[in-house]
DNA sequence: CCAAATTGTTTTAAGCCTAAAATGTTTCCT
DNA sequence: AGGAAACATTTTAGGCTTAAAACAATTTGG
């Protein structure tokens, strides 16, 4: 019969797990709900970007990163920020340079490094899309009160920290 | 100078938006944080599935849907549940039938419909993966208290409802 | 100095994913 | 019955994504 002591022993999660299979159904449900929310919103944003501006979500995301960096970013920077693979960025950038939204040049000081920036066209188009994008997001979250938003921010920060810790445990 | 009345007027978000450009920075930050959390966890799960079981996340997700439906599901059902396109499911199923994890047959009563089920092999492999998967999730969320989990569940349910409402507004 | 390790990027091979059009089947409506 | 609408799935064309290997340039440690 489980009691208060479980909560204390559980601080050391290794030892006990081997003995009795824990019930992690709540966390699993939470993960599925988190994933559902994100997928739902992401799909909605993707569709609106395509319909309104004929642009893909990854292209928009990449431009968003560059808009915050007037002096440009290296491909690695972008890859880390967007949390996607290096090779992914290479292809994305290629297409955006091709369409005239990005400017790519090799760093003067380190010939391995490629620095990319928004072109004038790229920046103008991004700003136009971003302002509309912001209203979509506001609308998607419209039923949350300011307090809800604050609380979600706090809990998601905690979630992110927890997940990063767990990831680091596995891959130190 | 903004005051209390803004909070009240804002209940009708349409009218005011046209006059003064609102500040939706908070919602935007929330969305980015939500996306970061999901991407982080999803990447971690994807990597572990690949390393431990040499299986992709979409394959695992599809098997998870079928595990909950002993009598099988139609491709449309799966597509709706997974929130992915029909064509996507077709290909995914094809590969899983090929590898012997799924059984696909045309419905007796409606020749348009394909019913898919886990095979014995598929179910066994899924169960094996799922139990380990559950511990990963628990570990990723380990720093959240039971209260945090409950609160996140509540707020994400509210978020989902809000987003669905917004999506329905656009596409009635 | 120079070989080894590290870093930044690209390439490769395979799979995932979408939107839209096409195909085949059933239902609905008169 | 018979044509139109609705439905389930597949196909198509193109883009996204990853992991791993390959390549190129720099840094590091004898």
């Amino acid at each position: 019969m489980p009691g208060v002591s479980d909560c204390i022993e559980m601080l050391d999660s290794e030892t006990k797990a081997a003995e009795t299979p824990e019930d992690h159904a709540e966390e699993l449900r939470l993960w599925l709900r988190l994933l559902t929310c994100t997928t739902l919103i992401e799909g909605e944003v993707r569709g609106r970007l395509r319909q309104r501006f004929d642009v893909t979500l990854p292209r928009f995301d990449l431009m968003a990163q560059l808009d915050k960096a007037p002096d440009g970013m290296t491909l690695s920077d972008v890859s880390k920020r967007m949390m996607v693979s290096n090779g992914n960025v290479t292809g994305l950038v290629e297409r955006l340079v091709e369409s005239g939204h990005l400017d790519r040049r090799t760093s003067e000081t380190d010939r391995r490094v490629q620095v990319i920036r928004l072109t004038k066209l790229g920046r103008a188009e991004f700003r136009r899309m971003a302002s509309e994008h912001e209203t979509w997001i506001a609308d998607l979250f419209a039923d949350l009160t300011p307090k809800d938003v604050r609380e979600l921010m706090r809990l998601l920060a905690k979630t992110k920290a927890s997940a990063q810790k767990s990831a680091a445990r596995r891959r130190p």
Side-chain angles (χ1 to χ4, degrees), chain A:
Chain A
M1 134 211 137
V4 174
S5 63
D6 290 356
C7 292
I8 292 162
E9 288 180 89
M10 214 157 308
L11 290 173
D12 180 4
S13 93
E14 284 301 293
T15 44
K16 191 146 201 216
E19 301 162 15
T20 52
E22 309 278 350
D23 178 37
H24 299 312
E26 287 310 308
E27 284 88 348
L28 204 48
R29 263 193 286 277
L30 175 56
W31 165 230
L32 293 178
R33 188 162 294 182
L34 186 61
L35 190 55
T36 298
C37 273
T38 303
T39 306
L40 183 61
I41 296 169
E42 199 171 6
E44 197 59 26
V45 171
R46 183 197 314 284
R48 297 190 199 204
L49 281 174
R50 186 181 42 72
Q51 284 206 338
R52 271 299 273 123
F53 302 113
D54 192 34
V55 76
T56 66
L57 185 50
R59 276 162 154 95
F60 178 82
D61 286 344
L62 175 39
M63 288 197 269
Q65 291 301 327
L66 290 176
D67 188 57
K68 290 184 289 191
D71 294 346
M73 295 174 80
T74 69
L75 296 198
S76 307
D77 285 348
V78 172
S79 156
K80 281 188 201 87
R81 290 288 195 116
M82 292 181 74
M83 299 196 283
V84 300
S85 68
N86 286 342
N88 189 353
V89 174
T90 297
L92 224 35
V93 165
E94 208 161 69
R95 287 182 287 270
L96 280 166
V97 168
E98 169 67 24
S99 64
H101 293 85
L102 259 55
D103 169 85
R104 168 178 44 185
R105 65 186 61 170
T106 302
S107 161
E108 301 285 339
T109 59
D110 184 339
R111 297 215 313 276
R112 287 171 304 183
V113 175
Q114 301 285 314
V115 178
I116 54 176
R117 286 174 175 72
L118 284 176
T119 60
K120 200 165 267 185
L121 169 73
R123 190 170 301 275
E125 288 214 358
F126 173 74
R127 291 280 167 86
R128 200 162 56 84
M129 296 189 288
S131 95
E132 195 157 330
H133 173 264
E134 193 168 309
T135 70
W136 300 338
I137 300 300
D139 193 59
L140 285 159
F141 287 93
D143 287 355
L144 300 189
T145 67
K147 188 182 164 198
D148 288 337
V149 173
R150 275 196 307 278
E151 193 62 3
L152 257 179
M153 284 290 277
R154 185 181 71 80
L155 289 167
L156 289 173
K158 201 169 172 182
T159 302
K160 179 180 168 187
S162 177
Q164 278 174 332
K165 218 167 95 184
S166 168
R169 262 196 297 279
R170 187 173 67 109
R171 210 181 342 83

